[in-house]
């Protein structure tokens, strides 16, 4: 079975940076999409960013565009989310997810995401 493990969360001050990692096992890293989602207490899950494993095409939500960067290391079977200029509203549990197909930007709505990892907490203090 595909397993995804997110890590790298923590407590950071406003304006700071964090890099999240999503390590995948038993997932074919030359196809499909991998995405990051987040969910804050009392709020709906939000798609943050996704990347195509085959061609590196990326998508971002408007709320993080220009501040977050998603990248992939196929050899390490790991996807990263570099988060800069963090804001209090970025506080949430962040999850990574993966799917074997390519849903384009609809991946940020969860389409095609068949596998989900446990989350990692990101807290931005003001």
């Amino acid at each position: 079975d595909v397993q995804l493990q997110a890590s790298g969360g923590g407590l950071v001050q406003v304006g700071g940076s964090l890099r999240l990692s999503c390590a995948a096992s038993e997932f074919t890293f030359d196809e499909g999409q991998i995405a990051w989602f987040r969910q804050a207490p009392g709020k709906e899950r939000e798609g943050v960013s996704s990347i195509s494993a085959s061609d590196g095409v990326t998508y971002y939500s408007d709320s993080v565009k220009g501040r977050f960067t998603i990248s992939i290391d196929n050899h390490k079977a790991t996807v990263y989310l570099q988060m800069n200029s963090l804001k209090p509203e970025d506080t949430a549990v962040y999850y990574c997810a993966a799917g074997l197909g390519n849903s384009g930007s609809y991946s940020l709505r969860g389409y095609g995401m068949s596998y989900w990892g446990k989350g990692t907490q990101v807290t931005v203090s003001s």
Side-chain angles (χ1 to χ4, degrees):
D1 289 345
V2 173
Q3 294 188 359
L4 304 172
Q5 180 64 52
S7 62
L11 175 65
V12 64
Q13 291 186 333
V14 169
S17 299
L18 281 175
R19 188 177 80 158
L20 305 183
S21 300
C22 176
S25 62
E26 306 299 326
F27 183 76
T28 304
F29 246 70
D30 57 355
E31 60 188 40
Q33 278 182 302
I34 303 91
W36 285 97
F37 295 82
R38 67 186 182 185
Q39 188 165 21
K43 295 188 177 181
E44 294 186 353
R45 186 186 69 197
E46 175 189 14
V48 174
S49 182
S50 68
I51 186 167
S52 168
S54 60
D55 56 16
V57 173
T58 59
Y59 299 95
Y60 295 93
S61 67
D62 289 341
S63 60
V64 308
K65 199 172 295 182
R67 300 187 298 121
F68 291 10
T69 303
I70 191 170
S71 61
I72 188 169
D73 185 331
N74 287 336
H75 296 294
K76 294 183 179 180
T78 300
V79 170
Y80 302 98
L81 185 69
Q82 178 66 44
M83 306 187 296
N84 298 329
S85 302
L86 284 163
K87 305 175 181 180
E89 51 264 43
D90 294 319
T91 296
V93 177
Y94 284 70
Y95 302 87
C96 59
L100 297 177
N102 192 320
S103 302
S105 61
Y106 288 95
S107 57
L108 296 186
R109 301 183 189 181
Y111 285 98
M113 297 293 116
S114 302
Y115 308 101
W116 293 79
K118 294 182 180 180
T120 184
Q121 176 71 46
V122 172
T123 303
V124 184
S125 64
S126 56

